[in-house]
Amino acid sequence: MAAHVSPPHLRLSFDDLPKTHVFTSRLPPDPAFPTPLESHNAPRESLGPRLVKGALFTYVRPEPAKEPELLAVSQAALRDIGLGEGAEKTEEFKDVVSGNKILGWSGETGEGIYPWAQCYGGFQFGSWAGQLGDGRAISLFEATNPITNVRYEIQLKGAGKTPYSRFADGKAVLRSSIREFIVSEALHALSIPTTRALSLTLLPHSKVQRERLEPGAIVTRFAESWLRIGTFDILRARGDRGLIRKLSTYVAENVFGGWGNLPAKLTADQNGADDTTRGVPERDIEGNPGEEENRFARLYREIVRRNAKTVAAWQAYAFTNGVLNTDNTSLYGLSIDFGPFAFLDNFDPNYTPNHDDHMLRYSYRNQTTIIWWNLVRLGESLAELFGAGSRVDDEEFIEKGVQENNTDELIKRAEGIISRAGEEYKAVFLAEYKRLLTARLGLKTQKHSDFQQLFSELLDTMSALELDFHHFFRKLSSVKLVELESENGREEVAGRFFHREGPSGIGITEKSARKRVGDWLAAWRARALEDWGENKDSEREIAMKAVNPKFILRSWILDELIQRVERRGEREILHRVLNMALHPFNEEWAGDREEEERFCGDVPRLQRAMQCSCSS
Ligand SMILES: Nc1ncnc2c1ncn2[C@@H]1O[C@H](COP(=O)(O)OP(=O)(O)OP(=O)(O)O)[C@@H](O)[C@H]1O
């Protein structure tokens, strides 16, 4: 068999990729270790937990790992970073992803790219938690894919203590690492913005104490940016105005590619959902007196818009993060930090995967509201900058900030910007949510009545009848419209959406359930006919199956996977599940057919809506 050769434009080694460290060269380092050499020459113990002020990161190297075992690599991730198939087979790759090799730095000259951990804070469950930071994550370098030109920050999670480890050990257990590794790639395959995972490495000599003694592991992950709302929170809590300005400028210029890429102020008749105009020159002030928006307002609105789209995708694919603290809310609008996350099984809006979230703060239903709550915290951090309006670049303002004689005006302007951003958040969320649900229902157009008659009614029905959310959409894809012509036909088809044991739910009988789903199918059929016309079932099925996954990375599958890898020493199963997660719309995967059907079939009754703790 011919060996698989990577296309020439993909590189076979990290060393061949264009690498940078823009983050560390643009933002201030921990004053205790201002250069890589000073950090490198310090005993590793001296890089332990403490408060780090006036800085956004500390240079810190990963702890060496003894006999690491590379368990899995995502080929999609490899490609997206700019590496070709086979790159993962080298010793260099294994050394880098296990933290044993620092690429691009010379210990002799002290020049080059040295690893770092970020400083951030956060509001956790609604309360200020103080300094957090990368307590077990260490970034290695930024690599730019030579074809797409997308730059990613490559990071290890579980590679040892940093100044931000607080009372913890800097490690990650295999269980949570498997979960993060696969879900990152699963979300990406569903086109949900997310941080990504390149590889999973087992540390056979690392035993980590959690609820029990567990094996340690490292996930090598990457993202366009690892900055979080919590990064601004800590600066605001410390009153560090200078750094807030510097970080904002960094985000606009180096994360979003320039001030000109940010959204222009909305006109009065725009509802905010349409893609806004961009390209406003950096120093331009937009809007009438009192409502002036400077470049920092545009930056805020960009972050708001990105997060609105991401939450919309979570809601449309029934994904729950489980711990939406501000340190887990990305400035780039990515899904980030995968602790007790889950995809819903049955549609239950009150579901939270987080065993410890008794108030349901982070339940599925609350995600949209909570992300807005987090974005208001960000608004408060940026308020002085966007509240200053046209004075934002005056020397006096830069030096002294708000003065008594202009406080009221500044606050009023800032409040107006946050409030309008809230409207924009709602509009962008709704537009994206409707777009996704419209596609999932196989419709080509949107009608005003769809929201109530199709979306809401479907979700209410699923919830009342305790139907499986994901199976509903996939199964709907292959329903033929002719099957739905008569009431009898519709009630017959309705049975396909029930669990094996039949419909459940308070006060529900088999008959009432069939009637309710049948009625919904009648409304859906009418809309599908309107959009497609007669005899277009096959085309509609193809379109629907391209957006309605057959495979969803459910909690029970992850549990089985973890058991088999950790307890039974299996390895191949990891590759099979990863492959399914990377190609969720396939009909089959050329793996173990029986296993595939089991993973895609009815969720075992006692394993639905599982929860897990935050321990990781
Ligand atoms: N075992 C650990 N050792 C050191 N710090 C930890 C550990 N577990 C969590 N932390 C830190 O506690 C804070 C909150 O933890 P959380 O579980 O939300 O994040 P995480 O999963 O470690 O990180 P990330 O958000 O980067 O995925 C973070 O600052 C994190 O770095």
Side-chain angles (χ1 to χ4, degrees):
M1 214 186 355
H4 227 106
V5 181
S6 286
H9 43 264
L10 291 174
R11 316 296 157 104
L12 281 177
S13 141
F14 281 123
D15 243 352
D16 299 335
L17 286 177
K19 288 192 299 304
T20 49
H21 51 135
V22 182
F23 186 92
T24 55
S25 54
R26 293 287 307 266
L27 296 168
D30 180 348
F33 302 97
T35 66
L37 207 53
E38 279 161 286
S39 171
H40 198 74
N41 290 336
R44 218 188 171 290
E45 309 78 73
S46 64
L47 289 150
R50 69 195 152 78
L51 287 182
V52 177
K53 295 200 173 153
L56 280 166
F57 71 93
T58 302
Y59 289 112
V60 55
R61 61 194 174 279
E63 277 172 14
K66 208 168 137 204
E67 297 176 358
E69 181 190 346
L70 187 56
L71 292 182
V73 173
S74 160
Q75 292 296 329
L78 213 56
R79 222 179 19 251
D80 289 344
I81 287 176
L83 292 171
E85 205 175 314
E88 78 280 18
K89 302 213 165 70
T90 63
E91 274 307 301
E92 181 209 57
F93 184 90
K94 190 163 138 182
D95 286 344
V96 171
V97 299
S98 58
N100 281 335
K101 181 166 184 178
I102 300 179
L103 269 186
W105 187 73
S106 154
E108 275 164 33
T109 62
E111 306 268 306
I113 306 171
Y114 198 80
W116 66 94
Q118 288 190 22
C119 176
Y120 56 83
F123 287 88
Q124 300 192 320
F125 289 87
S127 303
W128 175 238
Q131 178 183 297
L132 301 167
D134 287 333
R136 51 178 170 170
I138 297 180
S139 289
L140 299 178
F141 49 81
E142 298 146 352
T144 302
N145 180 317
I147 305 157
T148 61
N149 266 326
V150 178
R151 191 184 72 205
Y152 295 105
E153 188 174 322
I154 319 284
Q155 180 174 90
L156 307 181
K157 179 164 172 184
K161 282 194 189 170
T162 76
Y164 310 102
S165 300
R166 297 186 294 162
F167 312 105
D169 55 13
K171 298 178 180 181
V173 296
L174 178 61
R175 169 176 49 86
S176 64
S177 304
I178 290 177
R179 286 170 55 86
E180 169 151 3
F181 173 64
I182 302 202
V183 79
S184 308
E185 295 304 273
L187 288 174
H188 174 69
L190 294 172
S191 297
I192 300 179
T194 178
T195 62
R196 303 284 307 279
L198 174 63
S199 64
L200 172 68
T201 305
L202 173 69
L203 306 179
H205 297 276
S206 166
K207 297 286 173 259
V208 185
Q209 186 64 50
R210 292 293 181 264
E211 280 131 23
R212 56 185 174 86
L213 212 54
E214 299 187 51
I218 293 179
V219 174
T220 299
R221 48 188 206 171
F222 60 104
E224 290 88 339
S225 168
W226 288 99
L227 288 167
R228 304 138 192 262
I229 289 185
T231 321
F232 277 106
D233 289 336
I234 188 79
L235 304 178
R236 172 167 173 255
R238 290 174 174 167
D240 199 338
R241 301 179 52 246
L243 258 189
I244 291 181
R245 192 179 180 103
K246 195 169 203 145
L247 180 63
S248 306
T249 304
Y250 172 83
V251 174
E253 291 179 350
N254 298 96
V255 176
F256 295 137
W259 292 103
N261 289 338
L262 303 178
K265 189 177 193 312
L266 298 178
T267 53
D269 56 349
Q270 272 178 313
N271 68 6
D274 304 316
D275 250 354
T276 55
T277 327
R278 292 170 191 261
V280 183
E282 179 182 330
R283 298 278 169 139
D284 272 20
I285 306 291
E286 303 172 276
N288 298 326
E291 291 199 347
E292 302 96 325
E293 292 189 6
N294 63 30
R295 65 186 180 280
F296 296 99
R298 294 190 282 275
L299 174 64
Y300 179 53
R301 291 182 32 242
E302 173 72 12
I303 298 168
V304 165
R305 294 180 73 92
R306 281 171 176 267
N307 276 284
K309 283 195 175 171
T310 300
V311 194
W314 294 344
Q315 300 308 96
Y317 281 90
F319 174 78
T320 43
N321 171 291
V323 202
L324 288 176
N325 296 325
T326 58
D327 53 301
N328 296 341
T329 308
S330 152
L331 295 180
Y332 201 76
L334 304 170
S335 313
I336 188 173
D337 194 327
F338 302 106
F341 67 84
F343 285 94
L344 266 63
D345 293 312
N346 290 351
F347 184 72
D348 171 9
N350 286 324
Y351 171 73
T352 171
N354 188 339
H355 188 268
D356 309 316
D357 184 9
H358 307 294
M359 305 290 287
L360 306 185
R361 181 180 172 90
Y362 298 136
S363 60
Y364 169 82
R365 177 201 289 286
N366 283 350
Q367 295 195 116
T368 315
T369 313
I370 281 296
I371 287 290
W372 175 244
W373 189 91
N374 293 348
L375 287 163
V376 174
R377 303 288 80 72
L378 175 67
E380 288 163 358
S381 296
L382 299 178
E384 192 193 60
L385 286 171
F386 55 58
S390 59
R391 275 204 300 277
V392 72
D393 293 313
D394 291 357
E395 265 176 38
E396 195 191 8
F397 172 76
I398 293 175
E399 204 184 307
K400 300 196 190 125
V402 196
Q403 300 297 297
E404 253 173 44
N405 63 354
N406 56 33
T407 314
D408 290 349
E409 176 201 322
L410 185 145
I411 291 176
K412 193 155 173 269
R413 189 181 293 110
E415 283 175 349
I417 288 169
I418 294 177
S419 149
R420 288 195 299 279
E423 293 305 314
E424 200 170 343
Y425 176 76
K426 266 192 249 168
V428 174
F429 167 83
L430 266 180
E432 182 67 357
Y433 182 70
K434 284 185 195 167
R435 185 184 73 80
L436 291 169
L437 273 201
T438 300
R440 295 203 71 178
L441 290 177
L443 301 179
K444 298 202 234 182
T445 61
Q446 288 187 17
K447 279 177 85 172
H448 188 64
S449 55
D450 289 346
F451 200 87
Q452 202 50 44
Q453 288 172 9
L454 287 183
F455 304 173
S456 296
E457 182 50 30
L458 173 61
L459 297 179
D460 289 348
T461 300
M462 282 192 194
S463 166
L465 274 51
E466 301 180 349
L467 302 183
D468 187 289
F469 182 83
H470 306 282
H471 285 158
F472 194 99
F473 287 99
R474 184 73 180 191
K475 288 179 179 173
L476 185 67
S477 312
S478 25
V479 170
K480 313 241 173 303
L481 295 191
V482 66
E483 296 179 286
L484 305 179
E485 273 173 4
S486 70
E487 191 171 346
N488 276 349
R490 291 192 289 272
E491 293 188 8
E492 180 65 33
V493 169
R496 292 181 202 163
F497 302 106
F498 300 161
H499 285 294
R500 210 171 282 142
E501 73 276 6
S504 47
I506 299 167
I508 301 295
T509 61
E510 166 103 24
K511 193 163 180 290
S512 68
R514 283 187 187 272
K515 168 93 175 69
R516 183 152 182 189
V517 175
D519 287 349
W520 183 86
L521 286 169
W524 174 74
R525 175 179 174 275
R527 281 292 289 114
L529 264 180
E530 231 174 79
D531 279 10
W532 291 87
E534 306 272 0
N535 302 323
K536 290 283 190 246
D537 288 329
S538 325
E539 286 96 321
R540 181 181 43 76
E541 180 173 356
I542 292 171
M544 286 180 75
K545 286 190 169 171
V547 289
N548 292 323
K550 176 166 175 176
F551 177 77
I552 277 288
L553 186 67
R554 299 172 187 264
S555 302
W556 79 277
I557 298 173
L558 277 164
D559 259 28
E560 177 174 326
L561 174 66
I562 290 164
Q563 287 282 335
R564 289 170 66 174
V565 173
E566 193 181 320
R567 301 277 169 88
R568 295 199 233 149
E570 289 186 42
R571 296 294 181 258
E572 271 308 307
I573 174 92
L574 252 178
H575 304 138
R576 292 198 298 274
V577 174
L578 176 63
N579 187 35
M580 293 177 87
L582 281 171
H583 306 100
F585 305 106
N586 281 11
E587 209 56 72
E588 52 190 272
W589 289 267
D592 174 338
R593 199 79 187 92
E594 196 189 319
E595 184 182 75
E596 286 169 8
E597 286 310 309
R598 193 164 59 83
F599 285 163
C600 296
D602 204 20
V603 180
R605 203 169 180 178
L606 296 179
Q607 288 171 295
R608 292 178 198 152
M610 293 167 67
Q611 291 186 308
C612 59
S613 74
C614 288
S615 131
S616 59

